[in-house]
Amino acid sequence: MDTASPAVTVALHDGDPGSPALAASHQVDARRHGELLLPAVDRVLAEAGRGPGELTGVVVGVGPGPYTGLRVGLVTAEVLGMTLGIPVYGVCTLDGIAYAAGRDDGVAGGIDGPFVVATDARRKEVYWARYADARTRVTDPAVDRPAALAEQVAGLPAAGAGAELYPEAFPDARPPAHPHAAALAALAAERLAAGAELLPPRPLYLRRPDAQVPAAYKAVTPR
């Protein structure tokens, strides 16, 4: 599952790196992550004819992403893992988009060669990273204003909603705009089969949340 973007995306996978997802749900609604995620989990399990007790692991996108949406997926994944006694694995959301962008499966067009993934970070900024190919990230995820990236991303195709929002910085925008849980699960299955260590299910925020505790409270003196 992934809620690090406006998409609420869930998929069920059998863990075989070469297999497609057994069922998937993908809804784009930036304000309803909490309402949509668990019903999507139920719907995907029902479509595949499976129950929660048959799950052997949970994969969750860890961002980067806005605070409120991202924590919905992470908390849900952690609760499922604790309740069912199964491991919870984290995957960088940008890596999931990159993996989907490199596939030619109807979700994306199959980018071949170096490219960029950029998602909307709000505040006129993007979360982004460069990739040598669909499986190989060559820079750490970062958050920047698109204009500051012009030289670093010049001439490279770019996947993600951030690329679509800022065509002056990313003139060659490609799909997908948002993460798809089917691609996230397939990437995790590949990495686990290869013996790679996945990330812990901890949020990758890259900056402080918009909501802040006031630095000083106004004193109120009783009359």
Side-chain angles (χ1 to χ4, degrees), residues 3-190:
T3 59
S5 77
V8 178
T9 180
V10 177
L12 183 66
H13 198 277
D14 67 3
D16 181 347
S19 298
L22 300 176
S25 171
H26 187 81
Q27 299 165 276
V28 178
D29 190 328
R31 298 180 180 276
R32 299 177 62 216
H33 292 83
E35 297 176 45
L36 297 175
L37 182 56
L38 280 176
V41 172
D42 288 341
R43 187 166 57 251
V44 164
L45 288 171
E47 182 180 334
R50 303 297 174 90
E54 296 178 77
L55 295 176
T56 57
V58 181
V59 174
V60 61
V62 299
Y67 178 79
T68 303
L70 178 55
R71 66 179 179 172
V72 170
L74 287 163
V75 169
T76 302
E78 289 270 43
V79 170
L80 282 173
M82 292 175 61
T83 302
L84 299 173
I86 56 178
V88 181
Y89 305 103
V91 175
C92 174
T93 297
L94 301 182
D95 290 358
I97 295 175
Y99 186 78
R103 303 170 75 184
D104 190 6
D105 58 3
V107 173
I111 298 178
D112 184 19
F115 65 100
V116 178
V117 173
T119 61
D120 183 17
R122 305 174 186 172
R123 303 184 192 175
K124 298 183 179 180
E125 293 179 328
V126 293
Y127 298 118
W128 72 285
R130 285 184 57 162
Y131 291 80
D133 54 53
R135 294 173 173 83
T136 310
R137 176 160 42 84
V138 295
T139 65
D140 289 332
V143 57
D144 288 292
R145 288 185 176 273
L149 304 176
E151 293 185 5
Q152 300 179 66
V153 303
L156 295 177
E164 295 181 352
L165 283 172
Y166 302 101
E168 66 281 1
F170 307 100
D172 187 7
R174 308 282 186 91
H178 302 299
H180 285 258
L184 199 76
L187 175 59
E190 277 193 12

Side-chain angles (χ1 to χ4, degrees), residues 178-221:
H178 302 299
H180 285 258
L184 199 76
L187 175 59
E190 277 193 12
R191 289 177 173 175
L192 288 170
E197 185 175 345
L198 273 66
L199 298 173
R202 298 292 180 267
L204 184 60
Y205 290 131
L206 299 187
R207 68 183 183 205
R208 297 179 65 83
D210 292 332
Q212 299 289 331
V213 176
Y217 291 94
K218 181 179 179 180
V220 178
T221 304

